Amino acid sequence: MKVQIHSVHFDADQKLLDFIQKRLDKLETFYDRVTEGEVILKLNNKDGIANKTVEVKLLVPGSILFCQEDAPTFEAATDATYECMRRQLVKHKEKLVNH
């Protein structure tokens, strides 16, 4: 899957980019027709610990799936968006099978 990763107002290190790519590649085991993905990493100025935001947008035939999560680290936020996307992909695939 082709994934574009954008980090807003900072430079993400290669280790983080590889982690995100690996996580999103695992999503293809649930639905193999994902055409491309886009990830936006943001540092937000909210008070509290969960000040890192990960937004994931996946393009699948006929639909766009989106998920956004806040967490103390980008890795934790990526894991949360992975779970969110996994649920959406399974639901999307079931919808197609039942039609």
Side-chain angles (χ1 to χ4, degrees), residues 16-45:
L16 176 62
L17 299 178
D18 292 343
F19 176 80
I20 293 169
Q21 180 70 51
K22 206 183 312 180
R23 273 315 235 168
L24 292 182
D25 285 344
K26 279 186 181 177
L27 287 172
E28 290 187 312
T29 60
F30 301 103
Y31 187 64
D32 58 359
R33 297 188 56 208
V34 177
T35 52
E36 68 178 270
E38 182 178 16
V39 178
I40 298 174
L41 306 172
K42 293 182 192 168
L43 290 167
N44 50 35
N45 296 329

Side-chain angles (χ1 to χ4, degrees), residues 23-24 27 30 56 67 69 76-90:
R23 273 315 235 168
L24 292 182
L27 287 172
F30 301 103
V56 178
C67 190
E69 296 288 342
T78 300
D79 286 341
T81 54
Y82 169 82
E83 277 304 311
C84 177
M85 277 298 167
R86 184 186 63 75
R87 286 191 303 271
Q88 287 186 41
L89 284 170
V90 168

Side-chain angles (χ1 to χ4, degrees), residues 1-79:
M1 169 188 355
K2 191 180 89 179
V3 178
Q4 295 178 1
I5 302 175
H6 308 285
S7 48
V8 180
H9 301 303
F10 76 100
D11 291 326
D13 66 340
Q14 192 59 45
K15 200 170 92 176
L16 176 62
L17 299 178
D18 292 343
F19 176 80
I20 293 169
Q21 180 70 51
K22 206 183 312 180
R23 273 315 235 168
L24 292 182
D25 285 344
K26 279 186 181 177
L27 287 172
E28 290 187 312
T29 60
F30 301 103
Y31 187 64
D32 58 359
R33 297 188 56 208
V34 177
T35 52
E36 68 178 270
E38 182 178 16
V39 178
I40 298 174
L41 306 172
K42 293 182 192 168
L43 290 167
N44 50 35
N45 296 329
K46 290 193 287 188
D47 290 337
I49 303 170
N51 66 344
K52 294 175 180 65
T53 303
V54 175
E55 297 177 2
V56 178
K57 181 168 64 173
L58 293 181
L59 301 174
V60 294
S63 190
I64 296 174
L65 306 178
F66 180 80
C67 190
Q68 173 180 335
E69 296 288 342
D70 297 333
T73 66
F74 284 116
E75 288 82 1
T78 300
D79 286 341

